[in-house]
Amino acid sequence: MNQTGTAQRVYSRIAGTGSYLPENVVTNDDLAKIVDTSDEWIAARTGIRQRHVAAEGETTSDLAYQASLRALEAAGVKPEELDLIVLGTTTPDLIFPSSACLLQHRLGANGCGAFDVNAACSGFLYGLSVADKFIRTGDAKTVLVVGSETLTRMVDWEDRTTCVLFGDGAGAVVLKADTDTGILSTHMHADGGKKELLWNPVGVSVGFKEDEKNAGVRISMAGSEVFKHAVRALDSVVDETLAANNLDKSDLDWLIPHQANLRIIEATAKRLEMPMERVIVTVDRHGNTSSGSVPLALDEAVRSGKVERGQLVLLEAFGGGFTWGSALLRY
Ligand code: ACO
């Protein structure tokens, strides 16, 4: 209770950010040696120039671990202080245990709740939304939220329509309960009716078919259809987010979007009438790292000194499912 006798609102404040990219960099020119493509085509259609690819044996939880160590250090939080770990991923190390459990043990945070969230490229924002609810209800005070992916493991390197798009990487944030400032609202949406437009149709319950084994473990995407749905959904969710907070687009300091395609990012920036100088772009260097992309961009924005305490930041993402979502925060 505050001095007026009303319950004080609790926010989830980002206390620290971290990220990690695998060492191996694959350029567009490297890809042009294996499929019929060119640096010009990829850069013009997507904005991507290069992507990082995990080394053999390097897993999603390995990337998550490095990003988490950096976020914990930045926040000044010890692993044993964590009440919860939420990890957004669509490329877990194993079917089970979850990558969140593998990460938890490696961090030395045994005992706290830990689970994965699979919402494709929206995984980090879905995870952030869940973590925010735990903090706001008082059930947790310190939460680690991670987005980590090794998407290149399920890319068909002979399919030029998809292999040029994806990369590996991880980002993490430590959220702490705070009475002053933090996440103002989160918004999650899904439409399972469009699943065939962007999916990997292999799974446990549908059964593994031996003859489809190699052809099946691959991302399949109707690119231009996904593009149209992504722009529409993101326009709608940014409008919804501003309206929910009685804010105008001119109030925003930064847009930190999912990094799938520079043209999609520019469309959202245009909708918000934001100059590209106020938009964090990493897609040129990272490609699409799915759940990793928003926290990777956020960490870069924080560590470069672009995003400062007190500024209003809008995060958004769109991915397979379809899923899409946003978070508005006072950093
Ligand atoms: N190099 C050269 N040519 C290519 C390549 C390539 N790498 N890939 C496709 N082409 C060709 C196509 O074959 C086609 O040729 P055609 O006209 O002779 O048939 C032509 O280029 C145009 O293809 P489009 O698919 O219409 O190209 P488009 O401008 O739509 O760009 C892209 C494709 C980049 C995939 C775009 O549609 C896109 O970014 N879509 C959205 C992706 C996205 O946001 N995904 C969501 C998140 S991912 C997740 O959740 C896992």
Side-chain angles (χ1 to χ4, degrees), residues 36-37 41 45-46 120-121 151 160-161 164-166 198 221 223-224 226-227 258 260-261 263-264 288 318-320:
D36 181 15
T37 190
W41 191 96
R45 299 285 179 128
T46 70
C121 298
L151 240 76
R160 68 175 184 173
T161 67
V164 301
L165 303 175
F166 300 103
L198 173 55
M221 177 165 72
S224 55
V226 174
F227 191 102
H258 173 48
N261 185 314
R263 291 186 291 144
I264 297 176
N288 180 351
F318 179 90

Side-chain angles (χ1 to χ4, degrees), residues 36-68:
D36 181 15
T37 190
S38 65
D39 178 48
E40 292 71 32
W41 191 96
I42 302 169
R45 299 285 179 128
T46 70
I48 299 168
R49 293 272 180 195
Q50 61 168 55
R51 70 286 296 140
H52 292 248
V53 174
E56 207 179 324
E58 196 173 28
T59 66
T60 290
S61 70
D62 291 334
L63 309 190
Y65 176 66
Q66 297 299 338
S68 300

Side-chain angles (χ1 to χ4, degrees), residues 1 93 117 141 155 193 224 246 248 253 265 281-282 286 288 304:
M1 300 288 247
D93 295 33
V117 172
K141 289 206 163 17
V155 157
S224 55
N246 285 320
D248 186 76
D253 291 303
I265 294 173
V281 175
T282 58
H286 300 175
N288 180 351
S304 66

Side-chain angles (χ1 to χ4, degrees), residues 133-180:
K133 301 294 184 288
F134 271 88
I135 288 182
R136 281 167 63 172
T137 57
D139 280 351
K141 289 206 163 17
T142 311
V143 183
L144 175 66
V145 186
V146 189
S148 184
E149 302 278 10
T150 46
L151 240 76
T152 64
R153 290 276 152 69
M154 57 181 186
V155 157
D156 179 352
W157 293 106
E158 290 174 6
D159 176 6
R160 68 175 184 173
T161 67
T162 51
C163 77
V164 301
L165 303 175
F166 300 103
D168 301 328
V173 300
V174 174
L175 297 179
K176 286 186 90 166
D178 191 293
T179 50
D180 285 339

